[in-house]
Amino acid sequence: MKRTEEVRNKVIAVARRLMVQQGYQKTTIRQIVRETGVASGSIYYLFGGKEGILNEIINDLMERLMFIIESEFRNEDSLFRYAAILAVEMIGIQYNKQVREIYYALFSSPDLLEYTVEKNMVLQDALLGKDSEEERKKRYIQALLCKGALRAYIAAFYFNKAINMDECGAQVILLTLKSCNIREKELENILKKLKKNKGKFVDIVQKLLYE
């Protein structure tokens, strides 16, 4: 079991580095085999393929991101910490082409998209608390639509028409926070704090991708 975990972690670490350096599409199982020394059969057994590896990379990054946000903003409430996680995602997407490609691949696969929405629901439950089953069903649909908005945000980087991507990203965050039934006054305060802490969020992105 320990050996399997070591192999899994090694593959995830190498695949993450390759995807950050050259993008999701250019990263191949063959490259991962060559750099890890792990047989392709073992990789397919553990992950099922490249999509499965991407899933694990996103899981790993999200766990590390939550830990960093909890440490950096321990005196802030859970609403702000959730918004901070969203802000870090947006900055990573905006300033790193390879991260954009990773997220676009994530949202282009129905299986990965469904899994991502489920993980987002778990994150919301952990930070914002659970609600009734009926409300959770509504929130699931809203979370799905917010991920659709995030995919559109990513696609907009490749439009011929010039778009203010800072404003576009802020609107995606706003849409996501509104789906959590946050009051207007709270939203204003959170958005102000996000702007104030942008430098910290940039540092967190660097730490996540390159450390």
Side-chain angles (χ1 to χ4, degrees):
M1 182 66 75
K2 184 179 179 182
R3 170 63 179 163
T4 300
E5 195 62 28
E6 288 175 354
V7 170
R8 179 184 290 273
N9 290 339
K10 186 177 184 180
V11 170
I12 291 170
V14 168
R16 184 186 71 206
R17 174 174 57 78
L18 289 171
M19 289 182 190
V20 168
Q21 287 176 346
Q22 62 187 22
Y24 177 76
Q25 297 298 336
K26 289 183 180 179
T27 300
T28 65
I29 295 294
R30 182 175 295 179
Q31 284 181 314
I32 296 169
V33 168
R34 185 171 62 245
E35 298 221 12
T36 60
V38 178
S40 59
S42 297
I43 291 176
Y44 280 104
Y45 175 77
L46 289 171
F47 300 99
K50 198 164 78 165
E51 280 195 359
I53 296 173
L54 179 57
N55 235 346
E56 293 297 327
I57 289 172
I58 296 299
N59 277 343
D60 180 62
L61 288 174
M62 190 54 66
E63 285 180 8
R64 290 174 59 211
L65 175 55
M66 287 181 66
F67 177 80
I68 293 170
I69 293 295
E70 291 285 344
S71 300
E72 288 283 341
F73 301 102
R74 64 177 67 89
N75 295 324
E76 297 288 350
D77 61 24
S78 57
L79 287 176
F80 176 79
R81 291 200 298 273
Y82 179 60
I85 289 171
L86 298 175
V88 170
E89 279 191 298
M90 302 305 290
I91 288 171
I93 290 167
Q94 182 172 0
Y95 294 107
N96 189 296
K97 181 181 177 181
Q98 284 72 34
V99 172
R100 283 201 296 275
E101 186 182 310
I102 289 170
Y103 269 83
Y104 197 77
L106 194 67
F107 297 148
S108 298
S109 162
D111 288 340
L112 291 178
L113 177 57
E114 182 178 7
Y115 183 77
T116 302
V117 174
E118 291 288 355
K119 292 294 289 185
N120 185 74
M121 294 296 290
V122 172
L123 175 62
Q124 287 187 8
D125 288 344
L127 290 174
L128 307 179
K130 296 184 179 181
D131 44 26
S132 69
E133 187 61 29
E134 195 60 35
E135 285 298 317
R136 200 172 193 281
K137 287 178 181 177
K138 290 180 183 178
R139 193 154 51 84
Y140 182 92
I141 293 172
Q142 290 170 333
L144 173 60
L145 295 176
C146 288
K147 293 304 179 186
L150 183 52
R151 187 180 188 276
Y153 167 74
I154 296 168
F157 280 93
Y158 306 101
F159 283 8
N160 292 322
K161 181 182 177 65
I163 294 176
N164 184 332
M165 299 311 296
D166 283 328
E167 177 60 25
C168 191
Q171 287 298 319
V172 174
I173 292 175
L174 184 62
L175 177 67
T176 305
L177 293 177
K178 281 185 174 181
S179 74
C180 300
N181 298 319
I182 300 173
R183 290 176 296 180
E184 201 66 36
K185 189 64 178 177
E186 285 182 292
L187 278 175
E188 289 179 15
N189 291 333
I190 288 171
L191 293 176
K192 286 178 183 177
K193 286 182 182 179
L194 292 181
K195 286 183 180 180
K196 183 179 177 182
N197 286 283
K198 185 175 180 180
K200 278 189 178 181
F201 299 148
V202 171
D203 290 342
I204 290 171
V205 169
Q206 295 297 311
K207 186 181 294 186
L208 282 171
L209 295 180
Y210 302 110
E211 291 184 8

